[in-house]
Amino acid sequence: MTQSGMWIIGYGSLIFKPPPLVSFKVSGTLQGYIRRFWQSSSDHRGTPELPGRVVTLISLDDLKKHDRFEGSVHSYEMRELDGKTVLHESSQDVGNLPDHDVKVWGVAYYIEPQNVHEVKQYLDIREQDGYTLHTVKFHVHSIPVNDENAKEIIDALPRAEDGHLYIESSVYIGTIDNPSFVGPESIEKTAKIIKNSRGPSGDNYLYLHNLTASVRDLQPDPEFTDSYLEALTHMASPK
């Protein structure tokens, strides 16, 4: 919350399905987190009998502290081998990774003061099944142009040590101790579940597909993609 309104940070479905009453948005990164489809979904993209998968954030601190993650971050790449597309998986020790080397692209929406209460009520209903609010720093990378109202609000933001403007606000995260957290889960298992799951909000794969496409559009350099999302989308594709 700011004196002028509220910022809503999105790293999952909020990227491609914004909340209502948005004034404007900026894109940027959350540093010190990875994004994984390790949150079970029985209310949106699955059912209680056959839960689907939706995204959450896992902090670098949690990856370092908890033995279940084996002190590593996995990266993925789909490669061509003998005429077939195969998964190449590698891992990196998290022990010496600084926060700025581990980041998630997302968006931040600005909500005018008169709309804050309504939007908060909407989000509290939408972001259920294990998600709770946490305060994070969102590093701004791109801003709207030719919008004087947005410019005034953005110019008032503080700057981080790297010179980027940042927003400090709340974000919904399914933490590793919530009942719906299923990680770490192999990418093969996650892909199979997503491929076969559907809930009241639609096909689980459509959620994944829309998120991956939206994140591609956010990243300024096409050479640097979210390798996890790209590989998972390929593996879960119904085609």
Side-chain angles (χ1 to χ4, degrees):
M1 182 84 68
T2 71
Q3 291 182 346
S4 302
M6 178 175 70
W7 288 97
I8 301 296
I9 298 169
Y11 60 89
S13 63
L14 281 172
I15 298 178
F16 61 85
K17 187 180 179 183
L21 304 172
V22 170
S23 178
F24 63 89
K25 74 174 181 179
V26 298
S27 64
T29 58
L30 290 159
Q31 296 184 0
Y33 293 90
I34 63 171
R35 171 173 36 213
R36 293 291 185 266
F37 271 79
W38 288 351
Q39 185 76 358
S40 176
S41 175
S42 60
D43 59 346
H44 284 297
R45 298 292 172 169
T47 64
E49 296 76 24
L50 294 170
R53 294 289 184 267
V54 288
V55 286
T56 188
L57 298 176
I58 302 94
S59 71
L60 190 55
D61 283 344
D62 279 339
L63 291 172
K64 291 177 179 179
K65 291 177 182 177
H66 295 273
D67 292 341
R68 72 172 93 169
F69 301 111
E70 299 178 344
S72 62
V73 174
H74 290 251
S75 58
Y76 308 88
E77 183 182 358
M78 303 309 299
R79 296 180 178 178
E80 295 297 322
L81 181 65
D82 298 330
K84 296 181 179 180
T85 304
V86 297
L87 174 70
H88 175 76
E89 183 174 350
S90 59
S91 63
Q92 188 172 6
D93 190 332
V94 300
N96 298 315
L97 276 177
D99 281 3
H100 62 263
D101 278 356
V102 182
K103 58 189 176 184
V104 168
W105 278 88
V107 297
Y109 300 103
Y110 183 74
I111 310 298
E112 296 284 356
Q114 66 272 20
N115 298 321
V116 166
H117 180 69
E118 182 177 344
V119 174
K120 286 181 69 176
Q121 285 187 317
Y122 165 83
L123 290 172
D124 285 342
I125 294 172
R126 175 172 167 176
E127 304 293 333
Q128 297 185 53
D129 202 3
Y131 288 93
T132 49
L133 278 172
H134 302 267
T135 301
V136 297
K137 282 185 178 180
F138 182 86
H139 296 256
V140 178
H141 287 260
S142 68
I143 60 177
V145 295
N146 301 323
D147 186 330
E148 288 303 316
N149 180 49
K151 184 178 185 303
E152 181 179 349
I153 294 166
I154 291 169
D155 285 347
L157 293 174
R159 289 188 180 272
E161 292 181 0
D162 62 4
H164 279 119
L165 296 168
Y166 71 88
I167 296 161
E168 192 162 22
S169 189
S170 296
V171 65
Y172 288 88
I173 298 175
T175 58
I176 66 171
D177 57 356
N178 89 86
S180 296
F181 186 79
V182 296
E185 182 173 77
S186 73
I187 194 170
E188 293 88 354
K189 181 177 180 180
T190 305
K192 183 177 180 180
I193 291 171
I194 290 174
K195 189 173 185 176
N196 295 296
S197 295
R198 179 179 176 82
S201 296
D203 287 340
N204 205 169
Y205 175 75
L206 186 60
Y207 173 111
L208 168 61
H209 172 81
N210 288 342
L211 176 59
T212 304
S214 299
V215 170
R216 281 190 208 121
D217 292 339
L218 291 178
Q219 295 174 295
D221 189 340
E223 293 296 318
F224 294 93
T225 60
D226 189 315
S227 63
Y228 172 79
L229 290 182
E230 295 290 344
L232 187 60
T233 301
H234 179 87
M235 296 173 69
S237 174
K239 295 181 180 180

